[in-house]
Amino acid sequence: MTATLTRPLTVTEAIQTRRSIRKFAPEPINPDDLSEILRLASLAPTANNVQPTRFAVIQDPELQARLQEAAYGQTQVTSAPAVIVVYSDMEDVLNTAEETVHPGMGEEQIKTRAAGLRKNFESQDVAQRGQWGLTQANIAFGFLMLAARGLGYDTVPMLGFDPQKVRDLLGLPEHVQFAGMLPIGKRAEEGFPHHRHSVERVATFY
């Protein structure tokens, strides 16, 4: 059984209760909750506010079944009521740079800043820009998991899939880079308890 939250979890509660869940309850996600989770994830910071992260939200069972094939048969892809594929698209960013600049800056400033943004990346090739954008999308991927948990949903981050097959299934251009695939829903299992190194093991203080 899945419990209904009476309030959103705090950030600390979301972090401490997050588990990687591979079996989900057979119930749909509330559309308002899903929109709010995506809105919160979109607030993740990006260097120079470039915002290269994109979300492909898959809820069609037939497409999920094909995604499962691209993910080497991992059953959580079809157990979850939805799967969110998180990717970066730096070429879209550069093609629409004016949309990235704050609208309150005025027309001339928007043009100037958009031109500056394009100039910053003109010396890089598509692959280099894509890798830079991916580092930003990875931040949003973490925000997405915590936003989901904060509203009482569960996820499991996945990198085990064939990127080219996913591009083909979703009709995405070749240049996009994937932060990961995220099945999302209400847990039908508790998942494994956390097992992490101590702070002393992983942190060095200077």
Side-chain angles (χ1 to χ4, degrees), residues 65-102:
R66 297 174 71 186
L67 279 176
Q68 182 178 329
E69 294 176 6
Y72 314 115
Q74 296 182 77
T75 56
Q76 60 265 33
V77 178
T78 51
S79 174
V83 178
I84 302 174
V85 176
V86 182
Y87 63 97
S88 69
D89 190 342
M90 279 299 296
E91 302 313 296
D92 182 47
V93 167
L94 298 181
N95 289 333
T96 60
E98 288 77 10
E99 295 178 12
T100 302
V101 183
H102 197 289

Side-chain angles (χ1 to χ4, degrees), residues 6-200:
T6 57
R7 61 168 177 79
L9 301 180
T10 66
V11 173
T12 298
E13 289 170 335
I15 291 171
Q16 292 187 154
T17 63
R18 192 210 64 79
R19 298 288 188 273
S20 290
I21 299 299
R22 293 171 176 81
K23 292 182 180 178
F24 294 88
E27 56 185 83
I29 298 178
N30 181 302
D32 292 337
D33 288 347
L34 184 56
S35 293
E36 178 65 1
I37 288 166
L38 293 167
R39 186 189 73 82
L40 292 170
S42 73
L43 295 177
T46 61
N48 206 29
N49 198 37
V50 169
Q51 304 179 64
T53 307
R54 304 292 183 266
F55 305 99
V57 184
I58 298 94
Q59 297 176 282
D60 177 78
E62 290 185 11
L63 184 53
Q64 281 181 246
R66 297 174 71 186
L67 279 176
Q68 182 178 329
E69 294 176 6
Y72 314 115
Q74 296 182 77
T75 56
Q76 60 265 33
V77 178
T78 51
S79 174
V83 178
I84 302 174
V85 176
V86 182
Y87 63 97
S88 69
D89 190 342
M90 279 299 296
E91 302 313 296
D92 182 47
V93 167
L94 298 181
N95 289 333
T96 60
E98 288 77 10
E99 295 178 12
T100 302
V101 183
H102 197 289
M105 290 188 172
E107 187 175 344
E108 288 305 313
Q109 271 279 61
I110 288 173
K111 289 180 180 179
T112 299
R113 288 179 175 266
L117 174 59
R118 292 187 176 100
K119 185 175 178 60
N120 286 341
F121 291 97
E122 67 182 8
S123 63
Q124 298 181 7
D125 61 27
V126 171
Q128 288 174 315
R129 289 194 293 264
Q131 189 60 40
W132 187 92
L134 179 58
T135 64
Q136 311 303 306
N138 286 333
I139 299 172
F141 195 76
F143 269 55
L144 182 64
M145 286 188 284
L146 291 183
R149 185 67 201 128
L151 291 184
Y153 293 90
D154 296 287
T155 59
V156 54
M158 296 177 59
L159 286 173
F161 56 87
D162 184 320
Q164 191 55 54
K165 287 184 179 179
V166 174
R167 287 190 190 94
D168 293 342
L169 283 173
L170 301 182
L172 299 175
E174 290 293 319
H175 60 258
V176 304
Q177 299 285 335
F178 293 105
M181 185 184 294
L182 197 72
I184 178 172
K186 295 292 183 75
R187 67 178 68 179
E189 63 178 9
E190 284 307 306
F192 291 105
H194 291 147
H195 171 64
R196 299 292 189 271
H197 292 306
S198 67
V199 171
E200 291 76 16

